[in-house]
Structure formats: structure tokens, C-alpha cells
Amino acid sequence: MTISGNEVADLLRDLHSWMSEESDLRGRVRIREAAIPAGALGAPLDALQLILGAGGGAATAASVLIAWLSNRSGEVGVKLTRGGEDGETLEVTAKGVKDLNPAQLRELTTHITHLFETTDPDE
């Protein structure tokens, strides 16, 4: 997950905190740092990495992400990219989430859950 908006590092830390509070996700969310630029004192925060296995957590992660976006103001967006060969992506914005009716929110939650789910390539 990458975030766009003002103060990206703070937004990443905040989303990490929200996700880490959920027992299904605790220990499965990591903040990823970018390479250290020349002359910099440290690495900038780059993205959140969510590690889900067959044990689940995808629906919880989707629900937390939507709740987090619903509580943001301004131009905040999250780009979700699934690892693996297909590399499917989805971009969601705070404004976009706030404009959805309940049925559309359920549909978005289902879509994000599907994106987060780990699939076995042999199935």
C-alpha cells in the first residue's frame, strides 16, 4: 500500500497504527522504507506491506482501510498493489469512499478483500 497526500510518512504511520490495533492483523503489517537518498540522514517511509496467509485477515484489512480513509480529510489516496505475478492494483481515495452509499461500500470492501486475499497459483 502506498499513500498519496500531504505528510505521507505521518499518514503511513497512522494507517499502520490503525491496522496493528486489530488482532487479525497484528504482526502482519510492516512499514517499508525506501532506499536512503545520497546525503540524507535516513530512509523515507515508502509503503505499508501487509502479509496475509491462508489464515485470513483480508476482510479485516479491507474494513480497517475503508474506515481509516473515511476519517481522513483532504486529498488522501491509497494505492493497493497485490504481490505476485498479476500485480493487480486498485486506487482508493478518502473523498471517493465518503461519496459511496452503503451498497457501494460493501462492494468496495469485497473488492479490496479479494485483492488482499492470498491465492494459490495451483488452484
Side-chain angles (χ1 to χ4, degrees), residues 61-78:
S63 296
V64 170
L65 176 62
I66 289 171
W68 182 82
L69 280 167
S70 296
N71 283 282
R72 303 282 73 78
S73 60
E75 298 294 322
V76 177
V78 177

Side-chain angles (χ1 to χ4, degrees), residues 81-89 114-115 117 119:
T81 305
R82 180 171 50 198
E85 291 182 21
D86 68 356
E88 182 180 349
T89 64
H114 173 72
L115 184 71
E117 288 177 334
T119 56

Side-chain angles (χ1 to χ4, degrees), residues 11-119:
L11 291 170
L12 281 168
R13 283 187 203 97
D14 190 51
L15 180 54
H16 178 267
S17 176
W18 276 58
M19 289 201 162
S20 296
E21 289 177 12
E22 293 295 324
S23 60
D24 288 352
L25 303 176
R26 203 166 292 127
R28 296 176 176 217
V29 183
R30 293 179 177 83
I31 295 177
R32 189 179 76 187
E33 295 179 345
I36 300 174
L41 297 176
L45 302 182
D46 174 72
L48 283 185
Q49 183 176 25
L50 184 60
I51 302 166
L52 299 174
T60 301
S63 296
V64 170
L65 176 62
I66 289 171
W68 182 82
L69 280 167
S70 296
N71 283 282
R72 303 282 73 78
S73 60
E75 298 294 322
V76 177
V78 177
K79 182 177 181 180
L80 309 168
T81 305
R82 180 171 50 198
E85 291 182 21
D86 68 356
E88 182 180 349
T89 64
L90 173 67
E91 293 187 43
V92 186
T93 66
K95 183 179 182 322
V97 168
K98 289 177 185 177
D99 290 342
L100 298 178
N101 65 41
Q104 292 168 320
L105 280 171
R106 280 191 302 277
E107 184 178 327
L108 179 60
T109 302
T110 300
H111 188 81
I112 293 172
T113 299
H114 173 72
L115 184 71
F116 283 154
E117 288 177 334
T118 301
T119 56

